[in-house]
Amino acid sequence: MLIDWSLGQPVDPPQLPVDLLSRRQAAAELARRQRRQAMDAAYEAELILRLAELTPDGDDPQPGSPGARTPGWSAGDDEASGVSEFFAGELALVLNRGRGTARHLHHRALAWRENLPATYAALAAGELDVARAAALADVLGTTRPELARAVEARLLPEAVDLSVARLRARALELLAELDAAAADQRRERAQRSADVFLQPGQDGMATLGAELSADEAAEAYALIDQLARLAKADGDPRPIAAIRVELFSLLLRRPGGPGQPGVAAQLTITATLDSLAGTATTAGTVNGLAVTAAHARELLARIGALGLHAPDGGSLTFAVTDADGRLLATTTVAELLRVARKGCAQHPGEDCGCPVLGAPAATDRYEPTGRQQTFTKTRDRTCRMPNCGQRVGWADLDHVVAHSCGGQTACTNLCCLCRSHHRLKTFARGWQFVMEPDGTLHVTTPTGITRTTRPPGLRPPEPPPDHPDDDPPPF
């Protein structure tokens, strides 16, 4: 009862009145907060390890049984012995972070406890800051415990006097000195877990990169740089950085060289009903949730004005939303031409308010129809598990309420889940998934933590307005 009472208390705010502190006092309080953060990190690690201990793998699908994980599917799926394969997914929702971050924090906590007990103790006492303790765990967390402790014994006394980068370098140097084979093992693990990544940027830009061995990365950059310098010497007036970027893109998208077909692209253009009616700057809706023949003609006119067309070998899909970002329909140029010409079946030749496009109808079968797949993937764009960004190309369409339990095969009961989170929903016990008609998904962990995700672009609901009393008392 006392623990439950303590957990229900508000988080303590900072104690000192910052505006009254002198320069010396502010510096001293910052140093104290660093120690407090170290102690909190050790406490967090202890809590993570306790939660992992209470999440055993006894209920996981066993090898050879239906639903068992395929070995080697993902290099990052190596969970601690005896811990459920779904633990990282639960920890991610508890911390409201990504699954990769959750897995990293769990592995770091294990490294501190199993390989670096002196580092863990110094962290818990506030004698070693989080950044330095994390650097030691990153380098020594996957080597043999006895080797890790030997390096720790030599480094820990001077750790606070070294920069984080220098501490990491010294740990690697000592590791190679005491066991040269460990460096090769680390490199092999890094190569197995390497991946290509895509990070959204600002102003319509994004970063595409890959984790390569140092020699391959240097060779690839040298090639791009050499080609860029040749183009610059040949009279290209652009900055050499811009030339390098274009060459990098062309080499990936047209690996066969000039004149060869590029990679087929699937483009999706999103338009709101307000924008089609020319009132994008005003609030409200246009004809409720109906996409009419007049809207279709407006969209066709805008397509012609912008010169949009499907890329060679690719596709062009249009997503029509309401003012709040709720997806109303997905369509193509061919379908727009058809509905704009034919209009409403009940009012041929009239600009009525009847819908001619909308969400695909439900089906009695288990497998979603092609239109349902397009609509759901356009609405969700990524795995819908909170903090998971796996793109829909690698995601499954899942029935939120299982089809075997009476769940419809309808867009209001379908969402995109990556394979790992699909398996978690199917095989891990105690989870709850609830989806609203607009695609908002609520996920509750076995420990009662609920997180909510909305389809990208869908605005959160407005808070209810404050209504004054109808008959306020006189003053």
Side-chain angles (χ1 to χ4, degrees):
M1 292 177 62
L2 180 60
I3 292 176
D4 287 338
W5 176 85
S6 299
L7 292 174
Q9 299 307 300
V11 177
D12 292 334
Q15 299 298 314
L16 298 181
V18 176
D19 291 343
L20 300 180
L21 298 182
S22 67
R23 184 178 181 183
R24 181 183 296 273
Q25 289 170 335
E29 177 64 359
L30 281 172
R32 193 176 76 92
R33 294 300 300 173
Q34 286 287 102
R35 294 193 296 273
R36 181 72 259 175
Q37 288 174 6
M39 299 167 72
D40 285 344
Y43 183 49
E44 178 186 74
E46 189 175 0
L47 290 171
I48 290 173
L49 293 172
R50 175 58 176 165
L51 188 60
E53 179 185 344
L54 296 172
T55 314
D57 60 358
D59 293 329
D60 291 358
Q62 299 303 306
S65 65
R69 181 170 52 183
T70 302
W73 169 253
S74 173
D77 284 343
D78 52 327
E79 303 299 343
S81 176
V83 178
S84 171
E85 64 170 289
F86 305 117
F87 171 68
E90 179 175 359
L91 180 60
L93 261 69
V94 171
L95 299 177
N96 203 16
R97 306 289 294 276
R99 187 178 55 194
T101 299
R103 183 181 292 112
H104 171 74
L105 291 175
H106 180 213
H107 288 179
R108 189 178 73 177
L110 284 171
W112 283 338
R113 185 182 69 182
E114 305 296 336
N115 285 17
L116 303 167
T119 298
Y120 195 16
L123 187 71
E127 298 169 356
L128 184 67
D129 60 89
V130 180
R132 288 171 173 80
L136 290 175
D138 289 344
V139 175
L140 303 173
T142 55
T143 191
R144 302 192 313 274
E146 59 273 17
L147 179 59
R149 294 175 188 181
V151 175
E152 177 189 54
R154 294 176 59 173
L155 275 182
L156 195 56
E158 60 173 343
V160 295
D161 298 322
L162 298 173
S163 69
V164 175
R166 184 55 187 152
L167 178 62
R168 182 187 298 272
R170 283 286 295 133
L172 289 170
E173 290 169 4
L174 288 174
L175 192 61
E177 176 185 325
L178 297 175
D179 187 356
D184 293 331
Q185 293 172 0
R186 285 176 56 84
R187 184 175 65 255
E188 290 174 2
R189 279 194 298 269
Q191 289 176 339
R192 288 197 302 269
S193 62
D195 199 358
V196 174
F197 60 89
L198 176 64
Q199 296 175 341
Q202 296 180 344
D203 303 322
M205 304 295 286
T207 299
L208 175 66
E211 298 164 312
L212 303 172
S213 62
D215 59 316
E216 290 180 0
E219 181 182 359
Y221 179 84
L223 173 62
I224 293 174
D225 184 62
Q226 182 181 6
L227 292 174
R229 292 183 183 278
L230 289 173
K232 189 72 174 175
D234 202 35
D236 194 318
R238 295 174 297 169
I240 193 168
I243 303 174
R244 280 196 291 259
V245 168
E246 182 179 1
L247 287 167
F248 178 78
S249 176
L250 288 173
L251 286 170
L252 288 175
R253 295 184 297 110
R254 297 185 182 274
Q260 298 299 315
V263 177
Q266 286 73 45
L267 301 180
T268 300
I269 307 297
T270 301
T272 66
L273 288 181
D274 280 357
S275 68
L276 298 183
T279 58
T281 59
T282 62
T285 60
V286 179
N287 291 325
L289 300 181
V291 181
T292 68
H295 293 142
R297 286 191 286 272
E298 286 282 353
L299 185 51
L300 281 169
R302 293 177 182 270
I303 293 169
L306 294 175
L308 296 176
H309 59 86
D312 294 339
S315 64
L316 181 61
T317 301
F318 292 93
V320 183
T321 72
D322 65 11
D324 293 325
R326 177 181 178 182
L327 183 62
L328 306 179
T330 57
T331 185
T332 62
V333 173
E335 186 174 30
L336 282 171
L337 288 169
R338 179 178 59 79
V339 299
R341 182 176 62 253
K342 293 186 176 180
C344 167
Q346 282 72 32
H347 307 90
E350 299 181 22
D351 278 338
C352 59
C354 298
V356 294
L357 291 174
T363 179
D364 293 333
R365 66 184 189 180
Y366 172 78
E367 189 70 23
T369 65
R371 292 184 66 89
Q372 287 177 329
Q373 293 184 36
T374 298
F375 185 94
T376 305
K377 290 181 178 181
T378 302
R379 181 197 66 195
D380 291 352
R381 305 186 199 176
T382 64
C383 171
R384 291 296 307 284
M385 193 72 165
N387 297 300
C388 182
Q390 183 65 266
R391 61 189 185 275
V392 294
W394 286 93
D396 302 329
L397 258 64
D398 177 64
H399 292 74
V400 178
V401 177
H403 189 264
S404 59
C405 297
Q408 277 192 315
T409 303
C411 294
T412 53
N413 190 47
L414 292 170
C415 74
C416 293
L417 291 177
C418 69
R419 184 60 53 85
S420 294
H421 285 132
H422 191 175
R423 295 184 65 259
L424 178 148
K425 177 180 177 294
T426 304
F427 298 109
R429 295 186 178 183
W431 289 77
Q432 294 182 359
F433 288 70
V434 177
M435 194 168 77
E436 299 179 20
D438 63 2
T440 299
L441 183 67
H442 308 279
V443 182
T444 302
T445 72
T447 50
I449 303 295
T450 298
R451 303 291 182 192
T452 297
T453 64
R454 295 177 178 84
L458 180 64
R459 298 179 183 176
E462 295 288 341
D466 295 329
H467 294 292
D469 295 335
D470 293 335
D471 297 312
F475 293 100

